[in-house]
Amino acid sequence: MSQPTSSQRFWTKAVDRLASLTISTGGLLMIGSLVLIFLLIVSEAIPLFIAPKTASHGKLATPPKALVASADEYRDDVSFLMPDGLLRVVALADGRTVKDLAVPGMEGRTVTAAVRSIKGDMALGLSDGSAIVAMPKWQSSFEGGVRKVDFDVKALPRLALDPAGRALTRIAFAEKESGASTVVASPAPDALFFGIASCEPGDVITKDLSAVLGKETVTALAFLDNGNSLCVGTASGKILSIPVEDSRVPGATETTAVNTDGTPITVLETLVGGQTLVAGDARGRVTGLLRVRDNAEAEARKLLPVKTFDGHSAAITAVGASGRGKTFVSADEKGNLVVHFGTNARTLARASVDGSVSALDVSPKANSFLAMTTKGLTDFTLDAPHPEISFAALFGKQLYEGYDSPEYVWQSSGATDDFESKLSLVPLIFGTLKGTFYAMLFAVPIGLAAALYTSVFATPKVKRFVKPIVEIMAALPSVVLGFLAGLWLAPLIQKATVSTLLLVPSVPLFVLAGVFLFQLLPFETRQHVRPGHELFLVLPLALLGALFAWFAGPFLEHVLFGGDFKAWLLTSSGLKYDARNSLVIAFAMGFAVIPIIFTISEDALSSVPEHLKAASLALGASPWQTAIRVILPTASAGIFSALMVGFGRAVGETMIVLMATGNTPILDWNIFNGMRTLAANIAVEIPEAPQGGTLYRVLFLAALLLFVVTFLVNTLAEALRQRLRKKYTVI
């Protein structure tokens, strides 16, 4: 054979170096891509945990005796309510008076009490015992690319409350969907009057509620339950809850002890949605109250103090809430301000002003707020884009509005702006583990048994037939499997649930019974089944077991469950059967995982050195004993890798879970219920998530969790694989 020429050696080395460089570059690009993906996910998730901050944006002199301040959404102008009923609009930038408007219906009366709702309307208590509901409105327009803000005010007809004509000192109101407003006012600590203000004369109602106070004295007023319940804070630290819905005025009064030490309630405010009541007291404590059942058997919900917010060192003088979220600000007589979030009781930021705060105005988007004192009006900016996010909100139980106890809940959107986001990742993590568990429970025994048979017992001809068929299963797209599972398999299982459950014991029993009976046959008969062709005996037995389950299922359902297994399940154990459930996922996702477990396990089992098998057989071990005690332990590293890869495939599965379950994020191991996994949740929610919003970033956090879990599982698997490989290394 002739030696290669120098030119041939040169080109051989060049091609070799080029191949090495290409392979190395591809590997580095793959690693770099993974690092970049990880950094992208982290960069989108990190802003969730950046601490909120607030800063003073400017200060404005307050007009003398101003009662209430309210700014437009763009924070260009602010309106002040004066005692004579005049609304003075002032530019925040330079204090210039832009406009003066008189509230209709004043007619020489003076304002002695005023309150502003989170929607921007105001209730004015007047010096003659009457009240006016005023509806200021900011209107923005653009002319030549420049924003122009206009201000107007309308009012409902004046409502006469106190027949004695005493000046009202405290007032509260709530807007009704009909356009009317429910108003309550107090001219003295022992007097209370209720009314409904409306443009329709027939809808006007006034009543004296002083009798319901008993010996309590009024210190604060607010409405709850969208104006259907009146809450009265008292000097003894209690809240009287009085139903004022429809004609039941007053209804049965409910008393809630907020402060057991008798500290007076100084401020009451309702958060957006009308379900959460915030109470501030004379010692600076801030408490959140919700209607909850104090026990599971109770029929009615009670107003109870269930949330404690960071307090103050002095008496609370004002609470202002956002009109589009659960962010609110509390202030005390020393000028200290604390920004809270109502759902998770999180403290977002702190600030202070000079003097006692008499009024607060929080912007609808909660990105700024105004604090008014006798010494001036301070405008604060608030940078808290994700106030609802905290470790407790993501991974702990939270007490939400309408719930009776803290729970793990995922519900990212609602029908109105009053919706309270529920972004606990626990149900999604649980759903991921639940789906993976049931899929692996189905796939692992079948995949390992098939791999063991194919590599150890099957003849080469059978192996050449079986292995490609199983590996082709891995090429089936997930969307096809999900489509079949959701539209064909789920209705089939729903129709034949008992038959499906009967498959689990019947198929193995028929196979074992058939094999046992086969062993009892004469040796001459058994010789007709060649070693390695047992598959052709087992398959008919498995099919026979499946047929038995299919036909015996309806009979057993009729005999044992009264003809309806699903109804029996609900009445006997309270478990509800969902058409698309974990049982469907076990079959569909297990079908997708089987080829992965089979292929890797079969390769590992086939790689066991032949001399080990021969030595075991030579020492008298049977083929089955050799497989269990020699081949399986030796190939354990590869088998473990197969299980981990299958686990990772199941954890990250999206389309099958998305199409074959109800996507209900619940915490329940019941196999007849569905689930929602992290991967499926990302696919469902990401099209509707505004870029940069809280939901958008939480979905990236979910992706980060999947990334980290997969990385940790693979790292642990590799470490254990290396350990097993070292233990069973054959020299």
Side-chain angles (χ1 to χ4, degrees):
M1 183 176 180
S2 61
Q3 294 294 327
T5 64
S6 57
S7 175
Q8 290 175 329
R9 288 195 298 270
F10 171 79
W11 284 110
T12 300
K13 291 180 179 179
V15 171
D16 182 65
R17 290 177 180 176
L18 180 61
S20 300
L21 180 62
T22 302
I23 295 172
S24 300
T25 302
L28 292 174
L29 287 175
M30 178 63 70
I31 295 173
S33 299
L34 291 175
V35 171
L36 288 176
I37 292 173
F38 177 76
L39 292 177
L40 172 64
I41 296 174
V42 170
S43 67
E44 293 291 349
I46 278 182
L48 290 171
F49 304 100
I50 296 177
K53 52 187 176 181
T54 185
S56 175
H57 184 63
K59 192 171 183 180
L60 188 68
T62 304
K65 300 181 181 181
L67 299 173
V68 175
S70 175
D72 72 289
E73 185 172 353
Y74 298 100
R75 318 310 268 186
D76 291 332
D77 299 327
V78 60
S79 69
F80 294 97
L81 174 66
M82 310 305 294
D84 58 359
L86 189 71
L87 286 169
R88 177 162 296 166
V89 181
V90 176
L92 267 174
D94 52 15
R96 172 177 49 87
T97 299
V98 177
K99 194 174 187 179
D100 283 338
L101 281 176
V103 176
M106 291 295 298
E107 299 174 358
R109 299 172 180 84
T110 59
V111 181
T112 55
V115 65
R116 176 184 176 273
S117 74
I118 58 178
K119 301 296 184 182
D121 294 340
M122 293 187 294
L124 284 55
L126 305 182
S127 55
D128 66 345
S130 61
I132 292 179
V133 175
M135 294 167 285
K137 187 175 183 181
W138 297 95
Q139 294 178 326
S140 298
S141 60
F142 289 86
E143 296 180 4
V146 179
R147 184 174 64 247
K148 183 179 179 181
V149 180
D150 194 14
F151 184 75
D152 194 12
V153 61
K154 296 180 180 179
L156 295 176
R158 187 167 50 86
L159 183 67
L161 292 176
D162 185 4
R166 293 171 291 179
L168 301 179
T169 57
R170 291 181 177 83
I171 191 167
F173 79 110
E175 300 97 334
K176 293 285 190 178
E177 293 182 359
S178 61
S181 289
T182 304
V183 182
V184 64
S186 172
D190 60 347
L192 190 65
F193 296 93
F194 167 83
I196 296 178
S198 174
C199 292
E200 300 295 332
D203 293 339
V204 176
I205 298 173
T206 58
K207 287 194 177 183
D208 186 353
L209 301 184
S210 302
V212 304
L213 296 177
K215 297 181 180 180
E216 301 290 347
T217 58
V218 180
T219 57
L221 297 170
F223 280 97
L224 198 62
D225 303 327
N226 297 316
N228 294 325
S229 179
L230 166 61
C231 296
V232 181
T234 69
S236 62
K238 299 175 183 177
I239 293 179
L240 306 180
S241 180
I242 308 168
V244 292
E245 184 180 4
D246 300 331
S247 59
R248 298 185 299 118
V249 180
T253 302
E254 175 190 346
T255 302
T256 303
V258 179
N259 300 324
T260 55
D261 58 1
T263 303
I265 303 294
T266 57
V267 178
L268 290 177
E269 178 63 271
T270 306
L271 301 188
V272 64
Q275 302 299 316
T276 300
L277 182 68
V278 176
D281 65 25
R283 293 183 59 182
R285 291 173 293 194
V286 182
T287 306
L289 295 95
L290 288 172
R291 293 198 179 278
V292 298
R293 292 186 179 91
D294 51 4
N295 62 74
E297 298 179 356
E299 294 183 3
R301 287 186 165 94
K302 297 180 179 179
L303 185 65
L304 297 176
V306 293
K307 295 184 180 181
T308 301
F309 300 93
D310 283 353
H312 296 247
S313 59
I316 305 298
T317 56
V319 173
S322 166
R324 298 181 190 169
K326 304 298 181 182
T327 301
F328 70 95
V329 182
S330 60
D332 62 33
E333 60 185 8
K334 292 184 179 180
N336 298 311
L337 302 126
V338 182
V339 185
H340 313 268
F341 192 76
T343 301
N344 54 22
R346 179 187 178 191
T347 297
L348 303 178
R350 294 179 181 271
S352 62
V353 294
D354 187 14
S356 176
V357 179
S358 59
L360 290 166
D361 174 49
V362 182
S363 65
K365 295 181 180 179
N367 55 5
S368 64
F369 60 93
L370 302 174
M372 188 177 76
T373 70
T374 56
K375 298 182 180 181
L377 180 76
T378 306
D379 182 18
F380 289 92
T381 59
L382 177 62
D383 183 14
H386 312 293
E388 58 268 68
I389 297 303
S390 63
F391 186 84
L394 291 171
F395 302 103
K397 289 184 176 182
Q398 295 287 308
L399 179 59
Y400 300 102
E401 295 176 348
Y403 287 72
D404 297 320
S405 61
E407 295 185 22
Y408 301 109
V409 183
W410 173 274
Q411 188 180 358
S412 61
S413 60
T416 67
D417 290 337
D418 301 341
F419 173 74
E420 186 177 34
S421 295
K422 306 168 183 66
L423 300 176
S424 174
L425 293 176
V426 173
L428 308 180
I429 296 172
F430 178 87
T432 302
L433 296 177
K434 178 182 178 181
T436 302
F437 170 76
Y438 284 121
M440 295 294 283
L441 195 64
F442 175 76
V444 170
I446 297 177
L448 285 183
L452 185 63
Y453 169 77
T454 305
S455 62
V456 178
F457 298 100
T459 62
K461 184 178 180 180
V462 172
K463 183 176 181 179
R464 287 194 301 269
F465 172 76
V466 172
K467 189 174 181 181
I469 291 179
V470 177
E471 290 177 346
I472 287 174
M473 291 167 54
L476 290 174
S478 296
V479 67
V480 174
L481 293 176
F483 177 80
L484 292 174
L487 297 183
W488 173 74
L489 184 60
L492 181 64
I493 292 178
Q494 183 181 18
K495 181 181 178 181
T497 307
V498 176
S499 298
T500 303
L501 296 176
L502 197 59
L503 282 173
V504 178
S506 65
V507 171
L509 286 176
F510 266 76
V511 171
L512 291 175
V515 171
F516 178 75
L517 292 175
F518 177 76
Q519 296 294 328
L520 298 179
L521 294 176
F523 178 76
E524 294 78 8
T525 305
R526 286 186 282 127
Q527 276 187 321
H528 293 289
V529 179
R530 295 175 54 192
H533 288 74
E534 295 86 354
L535 175 65
F536 302 105
L537 173 65
V538 170
L539 284 179
L541 292 172
L543 181 60
L544 189 62
L547 290 174
F548 171 80
W550 179 261
F551 290 106
F555 173 76
L556 291 178
E557 184 173 15
H558 177 74
V559 172
L560 300 178
F561 308 114
D564 193 336
F565 172 76
K566 290 175 279 294
W568 173 87
L569 187 69
L570 182 62
T571 55
S572 63
S573 59
L575 299 178
K576 184 180 178 181
Y577 183 94
D578 293 329
R580 298 184 178 185
N581 51 45
S582 303
L583 188 60
V584 178
I585 287 298
F587 288 115
M589 196 153 66
F591 187 84
V593 173
I594 284 175
I596 297 173
I597 296 176
F598 170 83
T599 301
I600 300 176
S601 298
E602 200 279 333
D603 290 341
L605 292 167
S606 298
S607 299
V608 175
E610 289 294 332
H611 65 267
L612 286 179
K613 304 176 187 178
S616 175
L617 294 173
L619 291 173
S622 67
W624 178 250
Q625 290 174 322
T626 301
I628 297 298
R629 299 183 181 181
V630 177
I631 298 176
L632 273 179
T634 306
S636 58
I639 293 174
F640 187 77
S641 296
L643 298 181
M644 290 300 100
V645 173
F647 178 85
R649 169 76 166 84
V651 166
E653 178 54 49
T654 302
M655 295 309 300
I656 295 177
V657 180
L658 189 63
M659 302 176 71
T661 71
N663 282 310
T664 49
I666 56 176
L667 292 167
D668 191 349
W669 281 108
N670 178 16
I671 197 171
F672 302 114
N673 280 342
M675 86 287 286
R676 178 180 288 194
T677 66
L678 287 167
N681 187 68
I682 294 171
V684 169
E685 302 276 2
I686 199 65
E688 306 297 330
Q691 186 173 3
T694 300
L695 175 60
Y696 179 84
R697 298 196 186 281
V698 170
L699 294 178
F700 270 91
L701 179 63
L704 180 61
L705 285 176
L706 279 175
F707 194 101
V708 171
V709 167
T710 304
F711 177 79
L712 292 178
V713 167
N714 288 339
T715 302
L716 178 63
E718 181 61 20
L720 291 176
R721 189 184 73 84
Q722 292 292 346
R723 186 173 180 179
L724 291 172
R725 184 177 181 181
K726 183 178 180 181
K727 180 178 180 180
Y728 293 105
T729 296
V730 180
I731 302 177

